[in-house]
Amino acid sequence: MAALVVLYCSAGHGHHFTLCPLENLGFEWCPGCGIGRAIGLFMHGEVMESFRMHWLGIPAFFVIVHRIYTLSKRIYFNRITYHQYEQPQYINDH
């Protein structure tokens, strides 16, 4: 979820500081940077720009959101079933 927040807050059009070795070597297109920028542009509603940046950005966004949802649901239901079947502890006063 934090990565999606960072991608939403980043500027998808401009160049920025990056640790990407391909971009630091002067290549204009990197599959990793392109997909991150595409997700950021898609979250801002710029669908065509997102598709131009990287065509897998939009499907990747939905895969990431679906994965966050399924993991959150699993954690929530595991926590409920654990507390539901937890046995009370009795203290023996012998």
Side-chain angles (χ1 to χ4, degrees), residues 44-82:
H44 285 283
E46 300 180 32
V47 177
M48 290 309 296
E49 286 296 319
S50 171
F51 190 78
R52 285 188 199 113
M53 189 65 66
H54 197 293
W55 63 277
L56 283 175
I58 297 170
F61 172 77
F62 288 112
V63 167
I64 292 168
V65 169
H66 180 264
R67 187 66 180 152
I68 290 169
Y69 171 73
T70 56
L71 288 174
S72 299
K73 191 170 84 170
R74 181 182 301 166
I75 290 169
Y76 176 74
F77 284 118
N78 282 345
R79 192 170 291 167
I80 286 177
T81 56
Y82 175 75

